[in-house]
Amino acid sequence: MRVDQEIKRGTFFVFISKYSNILIGLVINSILARFLSPNEYGIVGVVTVFITFFSILGDIGVGTAIVQNRDLTGKDISDIFKITILLSICLGLSFYLLSYGIAWFYESDVYIRIGQLLAISVFFSSLSGVPRSLLMREKSFKLLGAIEIIASITTGILVVYLAVKGYSYYSIIWRSILSNLMICLMCFYFSRLKLAEGFGFGGFRKIARYSGFQFAFNFINYFSRNLDNILIGKFMGNQNLGIYSQSYQLMMYPVANLTHVITPVLHPVLARYVDQPKTIFEEYLKVVNILAMLGVPISIFVFFSSNEIVYLVLGSKWMEVAPVLQIFGASIWLQMVNSSGGAIFQSMGRTDMLFKMGILSTITTISATLIGILYFESLTLTALCISIAIASNFLIVYYVLINRILKGSFARFLKIIAKHAKLAAVLVLLLYLTQVFSNFKQDNASLIYLFLIKGTITGITFVAFYFQMVMGVAKKVLANVSGRFKS
């Protein structure tokens, strides 16, 4: 099977999984937003920051190393898994004890009970790393998608039930525990991981350098991604943290669920071509073109429709989220492309350079965050500072990736993105005129009408610019559907 065909096949199954989870997540979040207050979301948001950190500690770069290294034996993988078992136990106990420190830092005992419960979630999240990576290495994207959907639906029903029954933020916490438990058990079962007798460090030594730099990058990237939440929670309070978290989460829906449809496939597929950088470069340009083509109209739509999106998804009491979302919206296309770069560093076996780029990005992002929070003391200006840092990191990281790692043309890379500038200009003009000349009153019904009008304009403009591509995709889908009915 050709490289592009493997990528397309894997992307299809990840697409189904991700978009099913998007739909489930939007429905659940919309329901919860009507039962939980911004303050309750903020309380969970504080602990979530530390959960993410412990997830990094639990992986220690082993997951991507297993996918990259095809020389690991069954005994090697068994030994690596035994190490992660011990690590998972230590992390669970550490998080249990950390709950007292979190309560002290935020001056609230409510975090003690929350942290102790989430220690269970930390344990199972860490334990699932090796069996999940084995499924990724075998390119079992369809199976992984099914696992995630089953866990999402099951836990979604639970969290809504608990929220309706008045369990407040504990509903979100129990969802996290059950979700990680289910994913761990299913991944372990389907990966058919077998524990061999004895124990040794031979397998870990084979992946030590690769996984070490990957872990270091994840560690640095954590602070780059989460210091804003820590500082806002500390200096601006849970109310502002809840608003900021919701705006960031809404912005990340297209980033995580469009980019991550493709990026999980890139590393397992392209890892075989580690000695052929030209092949990886050519295939990656196709990916960048698709991400930019989708990201540009989404960014513009979110920028001009932030009020409508917040009202429809979260409700009227969350309208303070809109101006922050608007700022973040402008950077969505950048983040969509940027989020795919890590898989290319990994495929080339250059997690060392990925780590160095992570340090640079962390310095610029943290500096921007501190300026926004401590100097401007504004959520919208903090979002603006972070967006500027994202743009700066994008140019630097991709210059290094394209020129030094892949030995390709950076100018050609930029031209691929610039192809979509005409679409951007037309869409900005149309949505701006719609915003200016719309005669709707600023009531709930008007927000819905405006959302539909802007969405229609965005869709029609996209189809007009990429008509042949859209028709080609439509014909393929119809052919596949009709073929299945005939069979």
Side-chain angles (χ1 to χ4, degrees), residues 277-278 281-282 284-285 288 398-417:
K278 185 177 180 180
F281 177 61
E282 294 298 329
Y284 186 53
L285 285 183
V288 170
Y398 272 92
Y399 179 81
V400 172
L401 175 61
I402 301 301
N403 271 26
R404 294 188 58 183
I405 306 298
L406 297 178
K407 307 299 182 183
S409 170
F410 186 62
R412 188 179 168 199
F413 168 79
L414 293 178
K415 286 179 182 178
I416 291 291
I417 297 175

Side-chain angles (χ1 to χ4, degrees), residues 28 94 296 456 475:
I28 292 171
S94 298
V296 167
T456 302
K475 288 179 181 178

Side-chain angles (χ1 to χ4, degrees), residues 336-463:
M336 285 179 63
V337 177
N338 200 29
S339 296
S340 65
I344 307 304
F345 281 105
Q346 293 166 352
S347 299
M348 289 296 296
R350 295 303 305 272
T351 53
D352 58 331
M353 189 59 72
L354 178 63
F355 169 61
K356 294 175 182 177
M357 292 297 98
I359 292 176
L360 176 65
S361 298
T362 299
I363 292 172
T364 55
T365 304
I366 288 180
S367 299
T369 303
L370 289 172
I371 292 171
I373 294 175
L374 302 179
Y375 181 76
F376 292 114
E377 298 181 351
S378 165
L379 289 179
T380 53
L381 290 179
T382 298
L384 179 60
C385 291
I386 292 173
S387 297
I388 293 172
I390 289 170
S392 301
N393 293 334
F394 176 84
L395 292 173
I396 297 171
V397 170
Y398 272 92
Y399 179 81
V400 172
L401 175 61
I402 301 301
N403 271 26
R404 294 188 58 183
I405 306 298
L406 297 178
K407 307 299 182 183
S409 170
F410 186 62
R412 188 179 168 199
F413 168 79
L414 293 178
K415 286 179 182 178
I416 291 291
I417 297 175
K419 288 196 311 183
H420 309 287
K422 291 182 180 178
L423 167 65
V426 172
L427 197 53
V428 166
L429 178 62
L430 291 175
L431 292 182
Y432 174 75
L433 293 175
T434 303
Q435 191 92 347
V436 171
F437 293 105
S438 59
N439 295 320
F440 295 114
K441 297 178 181 179
Q442 292 299 312
D443 54 23
N444 296 341
S446 298
L447 290 173
I448 296 174
Y449 292 142
L450 273 174
F451 178 83
L452 294 175
I453 291 171
K454 291 176 182 177
T456 302
I457 290 173
T458 303
I460 292 174
T461 305
F462 180 84
V463 171

Side-chain angles (χ1 to χ4, degrees), residues 205-443:
R205 291 193 190 97
K206 291 181 181 180
I207 63 172
R209 186 178 187 276
Y210 185 98
S211 62
F213 279 115
Q214 181 66 52
F215 168 71
F217 168 76
N218 292 341
F219 187 85
I220 290 292
N221 193 51
Y222 163 82
F223 290 102
S224 175
R225 292 284 185 178
N226 292 284
L227 185 64
D228 51 355
N229 288 311
I230 294 173
L231 291 175
I232 289 172
K234 176 65 177 178
F235 295 106
M236 293 185 175
N238 289 332
Q239 179 80 12
N240 282 322
L241 177 58
I243 292 169
Y244 183 84
S245 297
Q246 285 286 21
S247 65
Y248 197 86
Q249 184 177 352
L250 286 173
M251 180 269 293
M252 286 302 294
Y253 269 124
V255 175
N257 294 291
L258 283 174
T259 305
H260 292 177
V261 166
I262 300 177
T263 51
V265 180
L266 290 179
H267 184 206
V269 173
L270 296 180
R272 301 198 312 271
Y273 303 92
V274 62
D275 297 323
Q276 302 175 42
K278 185 177 180 180
T279 299
I280 293 179
F281 177 61
E282 294 298 329
E283 295 301 326
Y284 186 53
L285 285 183
K286 299 175 185 177
V287 173
V288 170
N289 183 50
I290 293 173
L291 292 176
M293 180 179 63
L294 296 174
V296 167
I298 290 173
S299 287
I300 297 170
F301 175 73
V302 172
F303 181 85
F304 284 100
S305 307
S306 58
N307 284 318
E308 296 88 339
I309 292 172
V310 171
Y311 173 75
L312 289 173
V313 176
L314 301 177
S316 57
K317 69 179 181 180
W318 288 89
M319 295 309 293
E320 291 178 270
V321 170
V324 183
L325 174 63
Q326 185 178 43
I327 299 297
F328 277 137
S331 68
I332 286 176
W333 72 273
L334 272 173
Q335 297 210 61
M336 285 179 63
V337 177
N338 200 29
S339 296
S340 65
I344 307 304
F345 281 105
Q346 293 166 352
S347 299
M348 289 296 296
R350 295 303 305 272
T351 53
D352 58 331
M353 189 59 72
L354 178 63
F355 169 61
K356 294 175 182 177
M357 292 297 98
I359 292 176
L360 176 65
S361 298
T362 299
I363 292 172
T364 55
T365 304
I366 288 180
S367 299
T369 303
L370 289 172
I371 292 171
I373 294 175
L374 302 179
Y375 181 76
F376 292 114
E377 298 181 351
S378 165
L379 289 179
T380 53
L381 290 179
T382 298
L384 179 60
C385 291
I386 292 173
S387 297
I388 293 172
I390 289 170
S392 301
N393 293 334
F394 176 84
L395 292 173
I396 297 171
V397 170
Y398 272 92
Y399 179 81
V400 172
L401 175 61
I402 301 301
N403 271 26
R404 294 188 58 183
I405 306 298
L406 297 178
K407 307 299 182 183
S409 170
F410 186 62
R412 188 179 168 199
F413 168 79
L414 293 178
K415 286 179 182 178
I416 291 291
I417 297 175
K419 288 196 311 183
H420 309 287
K422 291 182 180 178
L423 167 65
V426 172
L427 197 53
V428 166
L429 178 62
L430 291 175
L431 292 182
Y432 174 75
L433 293 175
T434 303
Q435 191 92 347
V436 171
F437 293 105
S438 59
N439 295 320
F440 295 114
K441 297 178 181 179
Q442 292 299 312
D443 54 23

